[in-house]
């Protein structure tokens, strides 16, 4: 068992106690102490004193093993919650009906809720963190929709469960962690980044959770370049299920924060997902792009017409900046071949290659399109404005990855002590092999010189008139 869970069990008790006035919490069985004395009788109402004694006498067990929460989900009510979530949003409803999986989803909900403890945790998540619970429903449905063509029913079920349970670890942390927007340098952030491992430990107690699901929960905040958490794993160390969770969480965040409030659809998010897929081909995004395109896209541009000349100018400036970055990337990759034996540098190397590839394969971000923009601006071709908006979003995604790359390169080049790293071998996914560290002087000097090249050309600044636009806020780096 993992140490991160045991000291925090009482945080789950806080949720039980908070909802007890509305959903009574009672003991499910008689409980005896070490000497056989009766501590509590079945049916006893749960309170602070019982929570403290249960932790004292049974420190290695989840409270959900001993208590029942009135009103907890059964299969029918969980499926009803899932269906209601999708039918409350016409955009989601459209996809729900086009990819009709209702009988299978109902079957999966019955199976999930056959595990009383799992059903109880989902119920408490629904009560204490409704937005996080909605994200779980979003992820669970999309998992089934994405895997339907690729896997058998067992794999679909694993995907469904992974979507539902991947954030349950948050229930075992300070409840303030559930409040979004806390400073990433705060104690709450440091607590938040524990939730994948805490959640993975918690769900091992549930009968209906497989080993691949536990691993997916543990890895759903990891990144391909090693910048994620909690363990900073690299691409070859990550299993596919966790990559799906990470992608779907990002999609849900972008859609609910930026697109849905402005009556934009999930299909409108496609340019971002497309560029994400090109920049990070390890992401399982190809099937997601096909799914999103089944929905209806908005036809109108959200940018006021009087601001279109500024937006077109910004697309031109970004195009020039990204072209320069790609040219510098070729030089960088050539100069730093010696450092390729370092696993983290290898990940950065791949990220840089994929950024360059995304620029070349996008179809829209090219010199021909920039010439077309001249005509759009000169003749005020209103019918092309929506496409300009999409290109801006595609560039926003590329710039996001460029910023990540530059930040990680700076951190990497500042490391003075070159330690041996480990990389998962393709032929032995459960083992790691040591890689010889690069020669201390040469790669370091080369990287510093290359970094100066990358940072010598500054990213174009947004005009103040565009800064307040919603699409300019999409895919900004979290400041840490």
């Amino acid at each position: 068992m993992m140490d991160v869970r045991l000291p925090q069990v009482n945080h789950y008790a806080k949720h039980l106690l908070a909802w007890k006035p509305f959903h009574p919490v009672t003991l499910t069985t008689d409980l005896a102490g070490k000497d056989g004395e009766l501590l509590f009788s079945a049916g006893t109402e749960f309170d602070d004193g019982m929570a403290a004694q249960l932790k004292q006498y049974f420190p290695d067990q989840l409270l959900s093993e001993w208590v029942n929460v009135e009103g907890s989900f059964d299969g029918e009510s969980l499926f009803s919650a899932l269906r209601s979530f999708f039918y409350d949003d016409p955009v989601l409803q459209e996809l729900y009906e086009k990819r009709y999986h209702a009988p299978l989803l109902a079957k999966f909900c019955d199976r999930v809720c056959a595990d009383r403890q799992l059903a109880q945790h989902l119920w408490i998540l629904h009560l204490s963190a409704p937005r996080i619970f909605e994200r779980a429903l979003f992820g669970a449905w999309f998992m089934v929709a994405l895997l339907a063509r690729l896997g058998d029913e067992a794999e679909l079920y694993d995907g469904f469960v992974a979507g539902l349970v991947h954030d349950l670890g948050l229930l075992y942390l300070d409840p303030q962690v559930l409040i979004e927007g806390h400073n990433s340098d705060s104690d709450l952030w440091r607590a938040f980044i524990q939730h994948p491992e805490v959640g993975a430990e918690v769900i091992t107690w549930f009968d209906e959770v497989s080993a691949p699901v536990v691993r997916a929960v543990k890895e759903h905040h990891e990144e391909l370049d090693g910048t994620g958490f909690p363990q900073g794993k690299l691409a070859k160390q990550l299993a596919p299920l966790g990559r799906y969770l990470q992608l779907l969480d990002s999609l849900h965040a972008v859609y609910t924060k930026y697109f849905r409030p402005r009556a934009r659809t999930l299909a409108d998010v496609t340019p971002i997902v497309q560029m994400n897929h090109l920049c990070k081909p390890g992401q399982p995004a190809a099937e997601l792009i096909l799914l999103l395109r089944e929905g209806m896209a908005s036809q109108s541009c959200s940018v006021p017409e009087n601001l279109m000349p500024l937006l077109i100018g910004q697309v031109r400036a970004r195009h020039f900046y990204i072209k320069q970055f790609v040219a510098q990337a070729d030089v960088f990759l050539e100069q730093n071949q010696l450092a390729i034996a370092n696993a983290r540098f290898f990940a950065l190397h791949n990220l840089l290659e994929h950024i360059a590839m995304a620029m070349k394969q996008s179809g829209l971000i090219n010199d021909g399109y920039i010439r077309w923009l001249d005509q759009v601006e000169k003749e005020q071709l209103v019918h092309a404005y929506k496409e300009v908006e999409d290109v801006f979003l595609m560039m926003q995604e590329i710039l996001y990855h460029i910023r990540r790359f530059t930040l990680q390169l700076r951190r990497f080049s500042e490391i003075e002590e070159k330690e041996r790293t480990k990389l998962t071998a393709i032929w032995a996914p459960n083992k790691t092999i040591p890689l010889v560290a690069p020669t201390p002087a040469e790669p370091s000097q080369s990287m510093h010189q290359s970094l100066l090249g990358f940072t010598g050309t500054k990213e174009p600044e947004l005009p103040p008139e565009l800064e307040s636009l919603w699409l300019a806020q999409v895919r900004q780096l979290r400041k840490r």
Side-chain angles (χ1 to χ4, degrees), residues 154-175:
E155 292 172 311
L156 294 182
Y157 182 71
D158 277 351
F160 180 76
V161 173
L164 285 180
V165 307
H166 69 281
D167 280 327
L168 289 184
L170 292 170
L171 295 177
Y172 286 79
L173 303 175
D174 186 330

Side-chain angles (χ1 to χ4, degrees), residues 262 264 298-305 307-308 311 381-390 469-471:
R262 296 162 181 87
R264 315 302 283 186
S298 303
Q299 300 302 313
S300 61
C301 178
S302 66
V303 178
E305 287 189 26
L307 294 182
M308 284 307 298
L311 188 70
L381 303 179
V382 177
H383 67 274
Y385 287 174
K386 176 62 168 61
E387 187 178 80
V388 176
E389 183 178 278
D390 286 346
L469 295 179
W470 68 271
L471 66 166

Side-chain angles (χ1 to χ4, degrees), residues 154 158-159 162 203 209-219 239-242 245:
D158 277 351
I203 63 175
V209 174
S210 67
V213 173
V214 174
R215 180 175 179 180
V217 169
K218 191 178 296 185
E219 294 179 351
L241 209 55
L245 288 176

Side-chain angles (χ1 to χ4, degrees), residues 279-330:
C279 290
K280 298 163 68 175
Q283 287 278 46
E287 185 70 18
L288 178 59
I289 292 171
L290 294 176
L291 174 58
L292 296 182
R293 285 176 175 166
E294 292 182 19
M296 184 178 295
S298 303
Q299 300 302 313
S300 61
C301 178
S302 66
V303 178
E305 287 189 26
N306 65 305
L307 294 182
M308 284 307 298
L310 286 175
L311 188 70
I312 291 173
Q314 184 64 200
V315 169
R316 286 197 195 97
R318 289 182 168 199
H319 175 265
F320 179 74
Y321 169 74
I322 295 170
K323 278 190 66 175
Q324 283 192 312
F325 182 91
V326 172
Q328 292 163 352
D330 292 336

Side-chain angles (χ1 to χ4, degrees), residues 13-51:
K14 293 178 183 177
H15 294 288
L16 296 178
L17 293 168
W19 293 106
K20 187 180 70 167
F22 312 97
H23 303 280
V25 182
T26 54
L27 202 62
T28 59
T29 185
D30 292 342
L31 286 181
K34 296 179 181 178
D35 297 326
E37 74 281 12
L38 182 65
L39 298 175
F40 303 104
S41 300
T44 303
E45 182 178 336
F46 183 74
D47 58 21
D48 285 312
M50 182 185 292

